[in-house]
Amino acid sequence: MTDTPAPDLKPSFRSDVTVELVKHSASDSDVLWAARVSTAGEQSLEELQKDPERSKGLINYLMRDRHGSPFEHNSMTFFISAPIFVFREFMRHRVGWSYNEESGRYRELQPVFYVPGAERKLVQQGRPGKYEFVDGSAEQQELTSRVMEDSYRRSYEAYQEMLAAGVAREVARATLPVGLFSSMYATCNARSLMHFLGLRTQHELAKVPSFPQREIEMVGEKMEEEWARLMPLTYAAFNTNGRVAP
Ligand SMILES: Cc1cc2nc3c(=O)[nH]c(=O)nc-3n(C[C@H](O)[C@H](O)[C@H](O)COP(=O)(O)OP(=O)(O)OC[C@H]3O[C@@H](n4cnc5c(N)ncnc54)[C@H](O)[C@@H]3O)c2cc1C
């Protein structure tokens, strides 16, 4: 038996997020199959796919008239690594989502922290509900990185000090900030993903604009990319109909 290697306890800083599609059973045919049972009963895959124009029309009609349940007969599981503050927003999405996240009680948390990249707009102008973000100055960018990194280092040292003294992980973790990276599996279907994307991404085709925090939008954009590949007709209908979940 080999020993588990000692974790690298030197803090590292990231400005990106990871989204990996680890498992899926999701296609446009799943939508057609569920919808056509209304009028045609059970159908073979061949029958379902024999008229592509009709399929496209049916999916568009379901989306436009908000017949949502045919979009639920599919499943996508993502492995996501992102800061804790993103997961806190993410887990507000209750319907059609299942989550399992790494535990700060059962494992020692690794020192990986979020620091915004140069492209992340830093300054908010206007009032809540009607504001925009603009680039910060070079000084603001330098300050943000430096202060965040210092603060992360100090909080992780405090965490380590308590662990070394025998304090339980679940107690010591209280010193760690929401910029710490966590990881989770999140499973959804196309309908719940569309609802998420409608709220957590900004898009020129959106009938109802939303103003998500950029970091959860980064996760949403990566999920959207995977889903678009799996269900191109459904994805096109979502965009054509203003990115409102049916
Ligand atoms: C830009 C933005 C800013 C936000 N700011 C804040 C904030 O300041 N503070 C804060 O607390 N939250 C905030 N949120 C979170 C927000 O209030 C929702 O909790 C989150 O977007 C999940 O949306 P949802 O409830 O529609 O999704 P889900 O929980 O997935 O629900 C999906 C749909 O199911 C139905 N549904 C679910 N549960 C119920 C229920 N109990 N009763 C009736 N119908 C239900 C609704 O139709 C709902 O839209 C913000 C979200 C966004 C996108």
Side-chain angles (χ1 to χ4, degrees):
M1 210 167 90
T2 53
D3 288 338
T4 312
D8 176 9
L9 297 179
K10 204 164 148 307
S12 61
F13 306 107
R14 289 181 61 177
S15 58
D16 64 330
V17 295
T18 306
V19 174
E20 191 190 336
L21 178 70
V22 290
K23 200 157 66 104
H24 62 87
S25 168
S27 71
D28 291 321
S29 302
D30 297 331
V31 181
L32 299 169
W33 163 84
R36 288 209 182 128
V37 76
S38 304
T39 52
E42 191 178 19
Q43 288 208 304
S44 69
L45 194 61
E46 267 167 28
E47 277 173 308
L48 280 178
Q49 293 176 334
K50 74 179 172 210
D51 185 347
E53 273 312 301
R54 190 167 158 239
S55 300
K56 194 172 152 190
L58 175 58
I59 289 178
N60 194 60
Y61 153 75
L62 295 168
M63 192 76 72
R64 190 196 66 207
D65 286 13
R66 306 197 68 199
H67 294 294
S69 52
F71 297 99
E72 295 171 7
H73 297 270
N74 57 82
S75 169
M76 291 165 273
T77 299
F78 296 92
F79 179 74
I80 301 169
S81 296
I84 287 171
F85 67 82
V86 169
F87 284 6
R88 191 169 159 177
E89 292 186 349
F90 207 127
M91 289 182 187
R92 297 299 302 277
H93 295 263
R94 298 158 287 180
V95 178
W97 287 91
S98 303
Y99 303 108
N100 279 95
E101 185 182 359
E102 70 175 279
S103 168
R105 298 184 68 200
Y106 304 134
R107 69 182 298 225
E108 187 171 331
L109 296 167
Q110 296 301 292
V112 182
F113 298 96
Y114 178 72
V115 175
E119 68 296 338
R120 199 326 178 174
K121 295 183 189 319
L122 287 184
V123 177
Q124 183 180 323
Q125 291 179 342
R127 58 182 165 78
K130 197 174 183 354
Y131 53 71
E132 56 166 3
F133 284 86
V134 295
D135 291 333
S137 62
E139 290 74 27
Q140 283 169 323
Q141 289 188 358
E142 185 279 326
L143 175 101
T144 302
S145 303
R146 177 169 47 79
V147 171
M148 277 186 166
E149 290 180 16
D150 283 354
S151 166
Y152 290 152
R153 280 199 183 90
R154 276 186 271 120
S155 68
Y156 201 74
E157 275 166 24
Y159 176 65
Q160 289 287 296
E161 186 180 345
M162 280 186 272
L163 294 187
V167 175
R169 289 181 290 259
E170 69 183 41
V171 176
R173 68 172 169 175
T175 61
L176 296 172
V178 292
L180 184 78
F181 268 71
S182 187
S183 56
M184 68 169 173
Y185 288 106
T187 298
C188 61
N189 59 56
R191 189 182 192 186
S192 54
L193 182 60
M194 285 188 271
H195 186 67
F196 177 90
L197 294 176
L199 290 169
R200 300 299 185 177
T201 59
Q202 276 192 309
H203 200 284
E204 55 182 1
L205 295 175
K207 223 161 34 190
V208 184
S210 191
F211 301 94
Q213 168 137 5
R214 177 60 193 144
E215 287 77 11
I216 194 168
E217 185 180 37
M218 284 155 55
V219 174
E221 286 171 352
K222 287 175 184 281
M223 295 170 85
E224 179 167 340
E225 221 177 284
E226 298 287 358
W227 170 57
R229 202 170 41 74
L230 298 175
M231 301 178 74
L233 297 183
T234 306
Y235 180 60
F238 176 57
N239 280 325
T240 305
N241 291 281
R243 294 174 66 88
V244 174

